[in-house]
Amino acid sequence: MKKRIIVPIIAVGIFFTTVSFKSDFFEIAKQIEIFTTLFKELNMNYVDEVTPATLMDKAIKGMLEDLDPYTVYWNEQQVEDAKINNSGIYTGIGATAQSRKDKIIIVEPYKDYPADKAGLKAGDEIVKIGNVNIADLEDDAGELLKGAPGSTVDVTYKRQGKTATATITRGAVDLKAVPFYKLINNDIGYIVLSQFNRKTTIETKAALIDLKSQGAKKIILDLRGNPGGLLNEAINVVNLFVDKGEVITTTKSVIEKYNQTYKTKSDPVDTEIPLVVLVNGRSASASEIVSGGLQDLDRAVIVGARSFGKGLVQRPKKLTYGTQLKVTISRYYTPSGRCIQALDYWHRDENGDPIRKDAKEYNAFKTKGGRTVYDGGGILPDVELKSAVFSPITTALLKDNAIFDYATKYYYSHQMTDWKNFKFTEADFQDFLKFLKDNNFEYETETEKKFAEGLKISEDDDMSKDISASYNQLMAAIDKAKDKAIVDKKVEIESLLTDEILKRYFYREGLYNYQIEHNPEILEAVAVLNDAGRYAKILK
């Protein structure tokens, strides 16, 4: 017998009171009533069995999908996951993992944590957890890996075509916001800041003070790949290098209470020490508040590639039954007045895709010292480097896991005992290109999308037969151009391959030690800091 679900009147009342301050009472009540009656009738009368929770989940996603991608609904488990991410501490197997069809891929086992101690390696494909085949599950199989500290879980995994088993003893996992820092060249402190959680400022401050005690007279703050996090932690990190009372960011919204000005509130650690901040296309949100604030205040030289461009602020709102809505409430602006949001989700093209602001439309702003900076697409570094860029082809390689999968292949076909002498050679790059061919790596360019749309239109106009031969020739030419694009972007691709390969052998500690000596962005940061005249000229 079918379940019959009626939305409680109290739920409507709760929703009603939370939004009534800015919306029309009658229109809200009308739309809620329409949805409630539709949901009830669909549930009672549809020809096949339907699950109310699944229907509602799809309805919610459909309602939110035309907004920005950061306004999302969180179920109870996702709420807990968000709390864990913000705290940096959780109980589990100590590895990042990715769910793919019928399996879970170990992306990175953390050194000396449960998964690593059990012998799991990046690239291992978990196909069974306990007695449960992952292929048989509709829900997130990763939840089965979680459990109380000291409890065990048996996993069956595939590695290089062979099946093996392992028993993992779960434990507390402490993900550091600052996973690495070190004194280099006797007087330069290097700090990796990987996320903005509740421990970020404490760990960054401790690293900075320790490095200064070791003799650091200059600092490199590495925000590359940092996706952001807590806004207040970003303000506090800037505060380590600037005086109390400085405006770091302002937020603006159609809702007046969300219009806020965020200033530094504490005494700094050091306002004079020369500072370089590294960013790239995966530095987002809070990372951009830090880099943008320090740039606008002429407090640091920014090195790398244009950052991601996320200028939107979200806040979680509690819903019933332990769920939440993470909703975009405002845009944030750097001290000079820049909004660095790259995509306009409220104005879309004919395909429904958000519009990216053209570089010609960027607006000019002035830093505290009078330098010109621009809005509209992330933080543009003062010193740009090709090795830090994420071009469309590189992004496609990452999204398709081509770089990750090749690193797995490399690991099981090469011996390495010392990171100091590693070099990704021309022969290695040619082998990577062959790997792409053998695995049928493909990605669709915007050019191909447009021509495919044109071919579709030609079918409606009864012209497809006449132009199909020319179309095929055109596609062949584009394929050649795409192959050339991979070679043209060799510098940035090799950089990513090097990073992924080194992590397999020496974990992140080995990767960071290698980068200190070989990474182009770090070497450029060192060069800037070691040339006082150049450093001063950039900032003035």
Side-chain angles (χ1 to χ4, degrees):
M1 183 176 178
K2 290 185 180 181
K3 297 177 182 177
R4 287 169 169 73
I5 302 297
I6 300 176
V7 177
I9 296 300
I10 190 171
V12 176
I14 292 172
F15 178 81
F16 201 47
T17 57
T18 58
V19 297
S20 59
F21 70 94
K22 69 167 187 176
S23 302
D24 180 81
F25 287 107
F26 174 75
E27 187 62 24
I28 292 174
K30 174 183 173 182
Q31 297 304 325
I32 290 176
E33 185 176 359
I34 290 172
F35 179 79
T36 302
T37 53
L38 181 149
F39 186 76
K40 181 179 68 175
E41 294 299 332
L42 183 64
N43 181 62
M44 291 192 299
N45 297 297
Y46 189 68
V47 62
D48 294 321
E49 183 74 25
V50 291
T51 305
T54 301
L55 282 178
M56 184 59 74
D57 190 59
K58 290 181 178 180
I60 291 172
K61 289 179 179 178
M63 178 171 59
L64 300 179
E65 68 180 356
D66 283 338
L67 304 178
D68 66 89
Y70 312 111
T71 296
V72 295
Y73 166 74
W74 282 343
N75 59 33
E76 293 174 87
Q77 185 55 56
Q78 289 167 323
V79 171
E80 291 303 312
D81 290 343
K83 290 179 181 178
I84 289 170
N85 288 337
N86 287 337
S87 70
I89 301 174
Y90 71 97
T91 299
I93 67 170
T96 53
Q98 180 186 77
S99 293
R100 298 190 197 174
K101 185 179 180 181
D102 300 340
K103 57 193 173 186
I104 294 176
I105 306 295
I106 298 295
V107 175
E108 181 184 359
Y110 304 135
K111 185 179 181 181
D112 296 331
Y113 279 109
D116 183 42
K117 290 179 179 179
L120 292 182
K121 297 184 179 297
D124 287 349
E125 304 175 359
I126 297 177
V127 294
K128 189 176 182 180
I129 301 174
N131 295 320
V132 179
N133 290 313
I134 294 177
D136 298 333
L137 281 179
E138 292 184 4
D139 298 326
D140 182 9
E143 293 302 313
L144 298 176
L145 295 173
K146 299 177 181 178
S151 63
T152 61
V153 57
D154 295 324
V155 298
T156 301
Y157 63 93
K158 291 183 178 180
R159 177 186 295 171
Q160 298 294 286
K162 297 180 180 180
T163 301
T165 60
T167 299
I168 306 174
T169 301
R170 301 180 181 96
V173 179
D174 184 3
L175 296 180
K176 292 186 176 296
V178 177
F180 183 87
Y181 70 91
K182 188 175 182 178
L183 184 70
I184 58 178
N185 294 359
N186 297 318
D187 66 346
I188 297 177
Y190 173 67
I191 303 173
V192 177
L193 179 48
S194 63
Q195 57 185 307
F196 287 86
N197 58 32
R198 293 190 181 96
K199 302 184 297 178
T200 295
T201 304
I202 293 173
E203 291 184 13
T204 307
K205 182 177 181 179
L208 177 60
I209 292 173
D210 188 21
L211 287 167
K212 282 169 63 68
S213 72
Q214 293 180 46
K217 295 179 173 57
K218 311 155 193 173
I219 294 292
I220 299 171
L221 183 63
D222 193 342
L223 295 176
R224 292 174 300 169
N226 186 322
L230 301 177
L231 172 62
N232 64 305
E233 292 292 327
I235 307 300
N236 293 337
V237 167
V238 177
N239 197 171
L240 298 175
F241 301 99
V242 303
D243 287 319
K244 182 193 299 185
E246 289 281 6
V247 174
I248 305 305
T249 188
T250 56
T251 58
K252 298 179 183 179
S253 171
V254 294
I255 305 170
E256 187 173 350
K257 70 176 182 178
Y258 294 141
N259 295 333
Q260 300 284 338
T261 297
Y262 294 87
K263 298 181 179 181
T264 51
K265 297 180 179 180
S266 304
D267 292 327
V269 173
D270 195 324
T271 62
E272 299 295 330
I273 192 167
L275 176 65
V276 167
V277 178
L278 300 180
V279 297
N280 63 12
R282 291 189 292 178
S283 305
S285 191
S287 293
E288 295 172 299
I289 290 175
V290 171
S291 54
L294 291 170
Q295 186 180 51
D296 281 6
L297 295 173
D298 299 303
R299 181 62 188 87
V301 172
I302 313 300
V303 172
R306 185 182 287 277
S307 63
F308 182 81
K310 180 180 179 291
L312 304 175
V313 180
Q314 287 72 46
R315 178 171 295 180
K317 294 292 185 179
K318 291 183 179 179
L319 306 177
T320 55
Y321 299 105
T323 61
Q324 288 186 5
L325 171 68
K326 184 165 76 79
V327 58
T328 296
I329 59 170
S330 58
R331 293 176 176 84
Y332 75 77
Y333 296 78
T334 67
S336 68
R338 291 183 289 169
C339 181
I340 53 81
Q341 177 63 27
L343 296 176
D344 185 352
Y345 295 102
W346 295 269
H347 297 88
R348 298 176 181 257
D349 61 21
E350 62 275 11
N351 298 316
D353 297 323
I355 295 173
R356 180 178 291 274
K357 194 172 184 179
D358 189 275
K360 297 177 182 178
E361 301 173 339
Y362 291 169
N363 299 304
F365 294 81
K366 294 294 182 181
T367 68
K368 190 175 184 179
R371 294 188 300 144
T372 301
V373 290
Y374 297 91
D375 68 356
I379 301 300
L380 182 66
D382 302 302
V383 180
E384 295 184 82
L385 296 175
K386 289 183 179 181
S387 58
V389 173
F390 287 84
S391 62
I393 182 64
T394 305
T395 302
L397 288 167
L398 289 168
K399 187 176 180 179
D400 197 58
N401 298 301
I403 288 175
F404 178 85
D405 291 341
Y406 181 78
T408 301
K409 171 184 178 294
Y410 188 99
Y411 177 78
Y412 290 108
S413 58
H414 292 74
Q415 296 293 320
M416 194 188 315
T417 57
D418 187 357
W419 54 263
K420 293 182 180 179
N421 298 318
F422 175 73
K423 177 75 170 75
F424 194 81
T425 65
E426 177 61 29
D428 292 331
F429 187 72
Q430 292 302 318
D431 186 55
F432 174 67
L433 296 180
K434 182 178 181 298
F435 174 82
L436 296 182
K437 293 288 187 183
D438 292 343
N439 288 273
N440 299 314
F441 169 72
E442 294 182 357
Y443 82 103
E444 187 177 35
T445 64
E446 288 300 316
T447 302
E448 286 175 291
K449 290 179 183 179
K450 294 299 182 183
F451 279 124
E453 291 169 9
L455 183 65
K456 185 69 175 176
I457 294 172
S458 73
E459 292 175 358
D460 297 335
D461 293 338
D462 293 329
M463 298 172 59
S464 60
K465 290 182 180 180
D466 297 328
I467 67 173
S468 60
S470 297
Y471 176 81
N472 291 334
Q473 290 178 345
L474 185 60
M475 290 300 103
I478 290 177
D479 284 340
K480 288 183 179 180
K482 284 160 61 174
D483 290 340
K484 182 177 181 297
I486 294 178
V487 176
D488 289 344
K489 302 302 179 182
K490 179 181 176 182
V491 172
E492 59 190 80
I493 293 171
E494 280 188 344
S495 178
L496 290 170
L497 284 165
T498 296
D499 291 354
E500 189 61 47
I501 288 169
L502 285 170
K503 279 193 299 182
R504 304 303 176 94
Y505 295 91
F506 309 111
Y507 303 90
R508 284 190 175 266
E509 183 179 2
L511 168 62
Y512 294 137
N513 276 305
Y514 177 87
Q515 287 189 337
I516 285 171
E517 296 186 12
H518 300 279
N519 181 261
E521 296 99 87
I522 295 177
L523 295 178
E524 182 66 18
V526 170
V528 170
L529 288 170
N530 284 338
D531 187 339
R534 183 186 178 196
Y535 180 87
K537 184 178 180 181
I538 291 172
L539 293 181
K540 294 180 180 179

